[in-house]
Amino acid sequence: MESYQQHPVPAAADLVNWDLAAGTAATLVSAGPKMTAGEIRAAVADLRSRADAAVTHVHRITGLEAARDLRDSEVLVVDRASWAKANSRSFAALLNPALENLARTHPEQLKGANTALSGTLTGAQMGAVLAFLASKVLGQYDPFAAQTPGGPAGGRLLLVAPNIISLERELNVDPADFRLWVCLHEQTHRVQFAAAPWLRGHMVEQIGLLTNGLMDKAQTLSERLNQAARTLASADGRAALTGGSGDGVPNRPVDLMSLLQDPEDKERMSHLTAVMSLLEGHANVVMDAVDASIVPSVKTIRQRFNARGKSHGWLDRFFRQIMGLDAKMRQYRDGSKFVRSVVDRAGMEGFNRVWEGPGNLPTEAEIHNPSLWMTRMGL
């Protein structure tokens, strides 16, 4: 009989090798545009200056007093490898509790050498994903940095200098204007979490519930995959995949992940989707509120930036789709429409009620029908 001592409960680190993920990303991702040491120092200093200047504009546009005091968060100008390392640590902080719960509740499925091998493979795969993203992301506010050892209580804003510089050169736009334009979006996220200090904990809780729910159902995954296959094989499933039911009415494309989730999982995912749409849409509205008095070449920047999004090659589009980047762009659009609609009818002060507590966050249905949220808020 095998003893417990011979097969201890695996730790979260055995399930995903996060150090390998960060190392793989650093190995795979290119350094970015070639620059001298002096050019790099000047670019870093300029980005920090633009980031500081952006806060004043965010405060004026949003009316959020939290923008006056952001001392518990920090701004870092980083390279691609450092961005990947920071994100691997945040992912670990978010997911390790769920992985540890899985290890406790299903030790018989995770013991032995296969667990370590799986953790290595998963870490390498995560590293490849981070490497791809590290060459695309211009900036990112990471509210979950507070969950990492020694992380700032208010989160961390990361500006990825090689990507910003590479894109401003590609678009042939004024560097100072483009950098301020990018910082306006990212600093808005920083101000959002400062204005709603409860939001970080709320999202950590919701992500934890969703992840734990999916992990707890690991033993039923095979059954749910079979159900998903049966659904896709049905007449309705085939019609959805081909874009219509034969009567000229297009159907919503089948979301494979939704087929693998139970009603509680879907509800939590819907809530997180609504929150992300709100945050991204609000930041986009702030970017769009600036005019030539703040960013002189803003019209040119918007035109060239938007046109670039239509020119991705098929391989880039494929990776964007499987990694959810296309969904993120839809969140920008959906959230922007929600924010603009509310601000147009209730003003920025009315919209800012959204930051008062979890109960004021819009649902996914309200994101698509702002009148529902305004009625619920009494606006």
Side-chain angles (χ1 to χ4, degrees):
M1 180 180 294
E2 296 178 337
S3 67
Y4 176 81
Q5 287 75 16
Q6 289 175 306
H7 297 283
V9 174
D14 297 325
L15 304 179
V16 180
N17 189 329
W18 297 107
D19 289 337
L20 178 62
T24 300
T27 299
L28 293 178
V29 73
S30 65
K34 291 183 178 180
M35 301 174 66
T36 66
E39 289 172 332
I40 292 173
R41 286 194 298 271
V44 169
D46 187 57
L47 279 167
R48 295 193 68 86
S49 175
R50 304 297 166 188
D52 289 341
V55 178
T56 299
H57 301 302
V58 173
H59 177 231
R60 178 182 57 80
I61 294 167
T62 66
L64 293 173
E65 288 301 307
R68 292 186 183 277
D69 187 1
L70 299 171
R71 289 177 297 175
D72 64 344
S73 59
E74 65 182 14
V75 178
L76 295 179
V77 181
V78 299
D79 58 17
R80 292 168 172 173
S82 297
W83 178 89
K85 183 177 182 179
N87 273 266
S88 70
R89 289 180 174 177
S90 290
F91 284 147
L94 277 175
L95 297 180
N96 276 352
L99 295 174
E100 289 167 355
N101 179 64
L102 178 64
R104 287 193 302 270
T105 55
H106 300 90
E108 69 286 350
Q109 297 181 14
L110 301 173
K111 65 186 179 182
N114 286 339
T115 299
L117 176 60
S118 176
T120 299
L121 291 175
T122 305
Q125 291 167 347
M126 179 64 75
V129 171
L130 287 172
F132 177 82
L133 294 176
S135 66
K136 306 293 182 183
V137 174
L138 301 179
Q140 174 198 18
Y141 178 70
D142 180 7
F144 309 120
Q147 308 294 119
T148 62
R156 178 182 290 126
L157 172 57
L158 303 174
L159 297 171
V160 190
N163 296 345
I164 295 173
I165 294 167
S166 178
L167 186 53
E168 69 192 24
R169 291 177 178 178
E170 178 187 333
L171 299 179
N172 191 27
V173 293
D174 181 81
D177 285 1
F178 184 71
R179 293 169 189 179
L180 177 58
W181 189 69
V182 169
C183 289
L184 283 164
H185 183 103
E186 303 308 332
Q187 287 285 34
T188 300
H189 287 315
R190 190 181 177 203
V191 171
Q192 289 166 347
F193 281 86
W198 50 268
L199 183 56
R200 180 183 301 103
H202 177 73
M203 292 188 69
V204 168
E205 177 187 28
Q206 293 300 309
I207 292 171
L209 288 172
L210 176 62
T211 309
N212 274 321
L214 294 174
M215 294 292 185
D216 286 342
K217 300 179 190 74
Q219 70 271 27
T220 66
L221 181 59
S222 177
E223 177 184 337
R224 287 185 289 140
L225 280 169
N226 288 334
Q227 177 60 43
R230 288 193 295 270
T231 300
L232 291 173
S234 68
D236 289 342
R238 290 195 300 273
L241 285 173
T242 56
S245 56
D247 58 4
V249 179
N251 294 324
R252 183 176 180 177
V254 171
D255 180 351
L256 183 59
M257 278 303 297
S258 71
L259 296 175
L260 302 179
Q261 297 167 352
D262 67 14
E264 287 186 346
D265 295 331
K266 291 178 182 178
E267 184 177 347
R268 289 165 184 153
M269 182 62 76
S270 175
H271 175 66
L272 287 169
T273 298
V275 173
M276 293 305 300
S277 296
L278 169 72
L279 299 179
E280 296 295 352
H282 181 236
N284 258 20
V285 168
V286 171
M287 286 178 78
D288 290 343
V290 304
D291 56 23
S293 67
I294 299 172
V295 180
S297 59
V298 66
K299 185 176 181 180
T300 299
I301 290 173
R302 286 193 188 117
Q303 289 175 340
R304 295 181 183 177
F305 186 85
N306 292 334
R308 175 183 176 272
K310 302 174 183 177
S311 63
H312 295 301
W314 71 268
L315 184 61
D316 189 69
R317 289 197 301 271
F318 171 75
F319 276 107
R320 287 175 175 274
Q321 185 171 6
I322 65 173
M323 292 181 188
L325 297 185
D326 285 344
K328 188 175 179 66
M329 295 308 297
R330 287 194 296 273
Q331 287 175 355
Y332 282 17
R333 293 191 295 269
D334 295 343
S336 297
K337 290 178 182 177
F338 171 83
V339 176
R340 289 192 182 98
S341 179
V342 174
V343 171
D344 286 346
R345 295 166 59 186
M348 190 61 77
E349 184 177 353
F351 168 77
N352 281 342
R353 289 194 57 189
V354 78
W355 312 116
E356 293 176 3
N360 285 13
L361 290 171
T363 64
E364 193 171 9
E366 290 170 340
I367 286 287
H368 295 286
N369 188 350
S371 294
L372 296 176
W373 182 82
M374 294 182 66
T375 298
R376 184 162 64 88
M377 294 295 105
L379 296 172

